[in-house]
């Protein structure tokens, strides 16, 4: 009996994995509009009803994709933070570039990660807490996405704190994330052209890191 239950659990896990992979592929190819439970099921090669047994709807599926993406970004930033071969500035630079890189390489996914959940005054906070609420993706299972985005946030704050101290880390962390988001948005929209601004996203990141590092040295 236990063996049968284990086999069923493994089969369910494999189906969920296939559905998430298919959803991520469709998202990259055509954006959120291309992700439907029917298309995801067909691409994953599962029965027509399988997606509906694993996800309440499209938003739930997209939220699961966003959650896994935030977990991967969090893993990347954790690896940077704990790398003894890197300086604090190099860790911060790598963390910012990791986030902007998602926008550059997977623009549709990036837009889902930062999709606003609506103008709800009760959900608005201050500083990085407000950023966290904006990172939870579409409705579905927002708690899981918030936890994943929150882990990224904590890893990022720990890096910032090594430069400016724990007291000032939230302020500069919010400034850095807001700036990185703006850089990614301008690059995605084509408004960060070198002919106009004579700079690149990577050069802007370098400037941000130098500014924060210099501020840390004076405090």
């Amino acid at each position: 009996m236990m063996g049968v239950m284990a086999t069923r659990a493994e089969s369910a896990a494999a189906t969920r994995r296939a559905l998430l992979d298919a959803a991520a592929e469709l998202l990259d190819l055509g954006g959120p509009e291309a992700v439907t439970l029917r298309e995801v099921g067909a691409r994953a090669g599962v029965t027509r009803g399988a997606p509906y047994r694993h996800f309440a709807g499209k938003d739930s599926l997209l939220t699961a994709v966003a959650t896994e993406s935030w977990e991967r970004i969090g893993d990347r930033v954790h690896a940077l933070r704990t790398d003894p071969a890197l300086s604090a500035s190099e860790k911060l630079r790598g963390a910012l570039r990791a986030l902007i890189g998602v926008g550059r390489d997977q623009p549709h996914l990036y837009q889902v990660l930062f999709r606003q959940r609506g103008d709800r005054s009760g959900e608005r906070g201050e500083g990085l807490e407000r950023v966290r609420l904006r990172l939870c993706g579409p409705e579905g299972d927002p708690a899981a996405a918030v936890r994943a985005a929150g882990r990224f946030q904590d890893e990022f704050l720990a890096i910032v704190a090594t430069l400016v101290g724990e007291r000032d880390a939230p302020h500069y962390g919010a400034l850095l994330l807001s700036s990185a988001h703006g850089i990614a948005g301008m690059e995605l929209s084509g408004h960060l052209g070198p002919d106009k601004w004579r700079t690149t996203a990577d050069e802007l990141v370098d400037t941000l890191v130098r500014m924060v590092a210099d501020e840390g040295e004076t405090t």
Side-chain angles (χ1 to χ4, degrees):
M1 183 64 178
M2 292 296 294
V4 173
M5 293 178 62
T7 300
R8 288 177 178 174
E10 292 171 357
S11 177
T15 298
R16 179 181 173 84
R17 177 74 269 147
L19 291 169
L20 287 170
D21 290 344
E25 292 170 2
L26 287 170
L27 181 63
D28 283 345
L29 290 172
E33 296 77 13
V35 181
T36 66
L37 292 184
R38 177 176 294 182
E39 288 298 323
V40 167
R43 191 175 187 87
V46 300
T47 62
R48 181 171 297 185
Y52 300 90
R53 291 193 293 271
H54 287 268
F55 299 100
K58 174 177 177 174
D59 284 345
S60 176
L61 176 57
L62 285 173
T63 297
V65 172
T67 299
E68 287 198 342
S69 297
W70 278 120
E71 289 172 348
R72 285 193 295 270
I73 298 171
D75 288 344
R76 172 60 178 155
V77 177
H78 173 77
L80 289 165
R81 182 178 66 80
T82 57
D83 188 341
L86 298 177
S87 68
S89 292
E90 289 171 332
K91 293 175 182 180
L92 180 57
R93 185 179 296 108
L96 292 172
R97 286 179 174 171
L99 187 61
I100 293 172
V102 177
R104 182 179 296 150
D105 300 331
Q106 297 177 282
H108 295 304
L109 172 62
Y110 187 84
Q111 291 170 359
V112 169
L113 294 178
F114 283 90
R115 179 183 291 183
Q116 296 184 10
R117 295 172 57 203
D119 185 12
R120 303 175 184 177
S121 57
E123 293 180 344
R124 294 187 175 226
E126 297 297 331
L128 278 178
E129 184 60 25
R130 179 173 176 178
V131 174
R132 176 185 291 191
L133 291 171
R134 291 300 183 91
L135 300 186
C136 64
E139 295 285 348
D141 184 11
V146 168
R147 286 193 299 270
R151 175 173 173 259
F152 156 78
Q153 171 187 301
D154 291 341
E155 293 286 351
F156 183 79
L157 274 174
I159 292 176
V160 177
T162 61
L163 288 168
V164 300
E166 291 187 6
R167 185 192 66 182
D168 293 330
H171 174 78
Y172 286 101
L175 175 64
L176 287 163
L177 286 183
S178 299
S179 299
H181 185 45
I183 291 170
M186 286 189 69
E187 190 174 59
L188 278 173
S189 65
H191 291 155
L192 192 59
D195 293 339
K196 174 69 174 180
W197 301 108
R198 299 179 184 176
T199 190
T200 65
D202 287 340
E203 289 173 348
L204 290 174
V205 168
D206 289 341
T207 299
L208 284 170
V209 172
R210 283 198 303 270
M211 291 170 59
V212 173
D214 290 346
E215 184 64 25
E217 291 176 358
T218 62
T219 57

